[in-house]
Amino acid sequence: MNAHGSPYASGPHPPHRERVSRGANPLRRTSDRIETWFLRFLLLILALGLPVASISAGATAYESSMRAVQAQTAQRQRVTARLTSDAGGGAGDGARQAPIRWTDGNGKERSGTILVRSGTPKGTTVRVWLDRHGTVTGPPMTAYNARATGWFAGTTAAAGMVAGFLAARAGMRRVLDRRRYARWEAEWALVEPLWSARFRQ
């Protein structure tokens, strides 16, 4: 193999491409750099704030709900009552209000109403919850309800953070685009007469 065909033959070197740094792109406008840095700032806030907001909101809601669970458990009691009349309607008509009667801790008869299945006969025993005033009420909250409330609050806080991130990004882009369009219009107002003159020649 002669020197001309040798892979080691001397000759002109290929042109050397200078590496351009990421921030030195001549086509990038100042608004592009502002948008990039603002997006990085928002991503940092989202990465740091999302877990903090969701965990703190969830923990606060859970603790508040657990206090309500403890208070309701201490203030409510369950008693056995009897229906004093038949619940009207048929078995497939859903729930109906029916009168009930029970004896409280002092031996005094009390009365109220409760939702029961339609067609429930008079004299049927039912278990009802009473508040501290002896009024029929719903069952107390449970630890499961408290956990569900905590998870819901944490998820809502996380969704709020994401929504805020998207809104801030969209708002920043709208402001920058408005400035870009204004600048384009100003530059076109200078260039357009020159272009029109070229075509009129």
Side-chain angles (χ1 to χ4, degrees), residues 6-7 9 15-16 29 43 45 52 55 82 88 95 104 106 110 121 141 148 172 175 184 191 197:
S6 172
H16 177 68
R29 300 161 295 188
L43 288 173
I45 295 298
V52 173
I55 291 174
R82 290 183 181 276
D104 63 15
N106 298 323
R110 305 290 299 273
M141 289 181 60
M172 184 64 177
V175 171
W184 288 341
V191 175

CSV table of all heavy atoms in Angstrom, one decimal, residues 6-7 9 15-16 29 43 45 52 55 82 88 95 104 106 110 121 141 148 172 175 184 191 197:
chain,number,residue,atom,x,y,z
A,6,SER,N,-2.4,5.0,2.4
A,6,SER,CA,-2.2,4.5,3.8
A,6,SER,C,-3.2,5.3,4.7
A,6,SER,O,-3.3,6.5,4.6
A,6,SER,CB,-0.8,4.7,4.2
A,6,SER,OG,-0.7,4.4,5.6
A,7,PRO,N,-3.7,4.6,5.7
A,7,PRO,CA,-4.5,5.4,6.7
A,7,PRO,C,-3.7,6.3,7.5
A,7,PRO,O,-4.2,7.1,8.2
A,7,PRO,CB,-5.2,4.2,7.5
A,7,PRO,CG,-4.3,3.1,7.3
A,7,PRO,CD,-3.7,3.2,6.0
A,9,ALA,N,-1.4,8.2,6.3
A,9,ALA,CA,-0.8,9.2,5.4
A,9,ALA,C,-1.1,10.6,6.0
A,9,ALA,O,-2.2,10.8,6.5
A,9,ALA,CB,-1.3,9.1,4.0
A,15,PRO,N,-11.7,19.8,9.7
A,15,PRO,CA,-11.9,21.1,10.5
A,15,PRO,C,-12.4,20.8,11.9
A,15,PRO,O,-13.1,19.9,12.1
A,15,PRO,CB,-13.0,21.8,9.7
A,15,PRO,CG,-13.7,20.7,8.9
A,15,PRO,CD,-12.6,19.7,8.6
A,16,HIS,N,-11.8,21.5,12.8
A,16,HIS,CA,-12.0,21.3,14.2
A,16,HIS,C,-13.3,22.0,14.6
A,16,HIS,O,-13.4,23.3,14.4
A,16,HIS,CB,-10.8,21.7,15.1
A,16,HIS,CG,-11.1,21.6,16.5
A,16,HIS,ND1,-11.2,20.4,17.2
A,16,HIS,CD2,-11.2,22.5,17.5
A,16,HIS,CE1,-11.4,20.6,18.5
A,16,HIS,NE2,-11.4,21.9,18.7
A,29,ARG,N,-32.4,34.0,22.9
A,29,ARG,CA,-32.6,35.4,23.3
A,29,ARG,C,-32.6,35.5,24.8
A,29,ARG,O,-32.6,34.5,25.5
A,29,ARG,CB,-34.0,35.8,22.8
A,29,ARG,CG,-34.2,35.7,21.3
A,29,ARG,CD,-35.7,35.7,21.0
A,29,ARG,NE,-36.3,34.4,21.4
A,29,ARG,CZ,-37.5,34.0,21.1
A,29,ARG,NH1,-38.3,34.8,20.4
A,29,ARG,NH2,-38.0,32.9,21.6
A,43,LEU,N,-39.1,24.2,39.2
A,43,LEU,CA,-38.9,22.8,39.4
A,43,LEU,C,-38.2,22.5,40.7
A,43,LEU,O,-38.6,21.5,41.4
A,43,LEU,CB,-38.0,22.2,38.3
A,43,LEU,CG,-38.7,22.0,36.9
A,43,LEU,CD1,-37.7,21.6,35.8
A,43,LEU,CD2,-39.9,21.0,37.0
A,45,ILE,N,-38.5,24.5,43.4
A,45,ILE,CA,-39.6,24.7,44.4
A,45,ILE,C,-40.5,23.5,44.5
A,45,ILE,O,-41.0,23.1,45.6
A,45,ILE,CB,-40.3,26.0,44.1
A,45,ILE,CG1,-39.4,27.2,44.2
A,45,ILE,CG2,-41.5,26.2,45.0
A,45,ILE,CD1,-38.8,27.4,45.6
A,52,VAL,N,-43.1,18.4,51.3
A,52,VAL,CA,-43.3,19.1,52.5
A,52,VAL,C,-44.8,19.5,52.7
A,52,VAL,O,-45.4,19.3,53.7
A,52,VAL,CB,-42.4,20.3,52.6
A,52,VAL,CG1,-42.8,21.2,53.8
A,52,VAL,CG2,-41.0,19.9,52.6
A,55,ILE,N,-47.1,16.3,53.0
A,55,ILE,CA,-47.0,15.6,54.3
A,55,ILE,C,-47.5,16.4,55.4
A,55,ILE,O,-48.2,15.9,56.3
A,55,ILE,CB,-45.5,15.2,54.5
A,55,ILE,CG1,-45.1,14.1,53.5
A,55,ILE,CG2,-45.3,14.7,55.9
A,55,ILE,CD1,-43.6,13.8,53.6
A,82,ARG,N,-86.5,0.3,70.1
A,82,ARG,CA,-87.5,-0.5,69.4
A,82,ARG,C,-88.4,0.5,68.6
A,82,ARG,O,-88.7,1.6,69.0
A,82,ARG,CB,-88.4,-1.2,70.4
A,82,ARG,CG,-87.7,-2.3,71.1
A,82,ARG,CD,-88.6,-3.1,72.0
A,82,ARG,NE,-88.0,-4.2,72.8
A,82,ARG,CZ,-87.8,-5.4,72.2
A,82,ARG,NH1,-88.3,-5.7,71.0
A,82,ARG,NH2,-87.2,-6.3,72.9
A,88,GLY,N,-93.4,2.2,56.8
A,88,GLY,CA,-94.3,2.1,55.6
A,88,GLY,C,-93.5,1.7,54.4
A,88,GLY,O,-92.3,1.7,54.3
A,95,ALA,N,-85.1,3.3,52.2
A,95,ALA,CA,-85.1,3.6,53.7
A,95,ALA,C,-86.2,4.6,54.0
A,95,ALA,O,-86.6,5.4,53.2
A,95,ALA,CB,-83.8,4.1,54.2
A,104,ASP,N,-83.1,5.5,78.8
A,104,ASP,CA,-81.8,6.0,79.0
A,104,ASP,C,-81.2,5.5,80.3
A,104,ASP,O,-81.8,4.7,81.0
A,104,ASP,CB,-81.8,7.6,79.0
A,104,ASP,CG,-82.6,8.2,80.1
A,104,ASP,OD1,-83.0,7.4,81.1
A,104,ASP,OD2,-82.9,9.4,80.0
A,106,ASN,N,-80.9,6.8,83.1
A,106,ASN,CA,-81.6,7.1,84.3
A,106,ASN,C,-83.0,6.5,84.4
A,106,ASN,O,-83.8,6.8,85.3
A,106,ASN,CB,-81.8,8.7,84.4
A,106,ASN,CG,-80.5,9.4,84.4
A,106,ASN,OD1,-79.6,9.0,85.0
A,106,ASN,ND2,-80.5,10.6,83.7
A,110,ARG,N,-87.2,7.6,76.3
A,110,ARG,CA,-86.9,8.7,75.3
A,110,ARG,C,-87.4,8.2,74.0
A,110,ARG,O,-87.6,7.0,73.7
A,110,ARG,CB,-85.4,9.0,75.3
A,110,ARG,CG,-84.8,9.3,76.6
A,110,ARG,CD,-85.3,10.7,77.1
A,110,ARG,NE,-84.9,11.7,76.1
A,110,ARG,CZ,-83.7,12.4,76.2
A,110,ARG,NH1,-82.8,12.1,77.1
A,110,ARG,NH2,-83.4,13.3,75.3
A,121,PRO,N,-91.1,-4.1,60.6
A,121,PRO,CA,-92.3,-4.1,61.4
A,121,PRO,C,-92.1,-3.5,62.8
A,121,PRO,O,-91.0,-3.3,63.3
A,121,PRO,CB,-92.6,-5.6,61.6
A,121,PRO,CG,-91.2,-6.3,61.4
A,121,PRO,CD,-90.5,-5.4,60.4
A,141,MET,N,-66.7,9.1,64.3
A,141,MET,CA,-65.7,8.9,63.3
A,141,MET,C,-64.7,7.7,63.8
A,141,MET,O,-64.6,7.5,65.0
A,141,MET,CB,-64.9,10.1,63.1
A,141,MET,CG,-65.6,11.2,62.3
A,141,MET,SD,-64.5,12.7,62.1
A,141,MET,CE,-63.1,12.0,61.1
A,148,ALA,N,-58.2,8.4,56.1
A,148,ALA,CA,-58.7,8.8,54.7
A,148,ALA,C,-58.7,10.3,54.6
A,148,ALA,O,-58.3,10.9,53.5
A,148,ALA,CB,-60.1,8.3,54.5
A,172,MET,N,-45.7,33.0,33.3
A,172,MET,CA,-44.4,33.6,32.9
A,172,MET,C,-44.2,33.5,31.4
A,172,MET,O,-43.7,34.4,30.7
A,172,MET,CB,-43.3,32.8,33.6
A,172,MET,CG,-41.9,33.3,33.3
A,172,MET,SD,-41.6,34.9,33.9
A,172,MET,CE,-39.9,35.2,33.5
A,175,VAL,N,-46.2,36.3,29.7
A,175,VAL,CA,-45.6,37.6,29.8
A,175,VAL,C,-44.4,37.7,28.9
A,175,VAL,O,-44.2,38.7,28.1
A,175,VAL,CB,-45.1,37.8,31.3
A,175,VAL,CG1,-44.2,39.1,31.4
A,175,VAL,CG2,-46.3,38.0,32.2
A,184,TRP,N,-40.9,41.5,18.0
A,184,TRP,CA,-41.0,41.1,16.6
A,184,TRP,C,-41.7,42.2,15.8
A,184,TRP,O,-41.3,42.5,14.7
A,184,TRP,CB,-41.7,39.8,16.5
A,184,TRP,CG,-40.9,38.6,17.0
A,184,TRP,CD1,-39.5,38.6,17.2
A,184,TRP,CD2,-41.4,37.3,17.4
A,184,TRP,NE1,-39.2,37.4,17.7
A,184,TRP,CE2,-40.3,36.6,17.8
A,184,TRP,CE3,-42.6,36.8,17.5
A,184,TRP,CZ2,-40.4,35.3,18.3
A,184,TRP,CZ3,-42.8,35.5,17.9
A,184,TRP,CH2,-41.7,34.7,18.3
A,191,VAL,N,-38.0,46.4,9.2
A,191,VAL,CA,-37.5,45.6,8.1
A,191,VAL,C,-38.5,45.5,6.9
A,191,VAL,O,-38.1,45.5,5.7
A,191,VAL,CB,-37.2,44.1,8.5
A,191,VAL,CG1,-36.9,43.2,7.4
A,191,VAL,CG2,-36.1,44.1,9.6
A,197,ALA,N,-39.5,47.5,-0.7
A,197,ALA,CA,-38.7,48.2,-1.7
A,197,ALA,C,-38.0,47.3,-2.6
A,197,ALA,O,-37.9,47.5,-3.9
A,197,ALA,CB,-37.7,49.2,-1.0
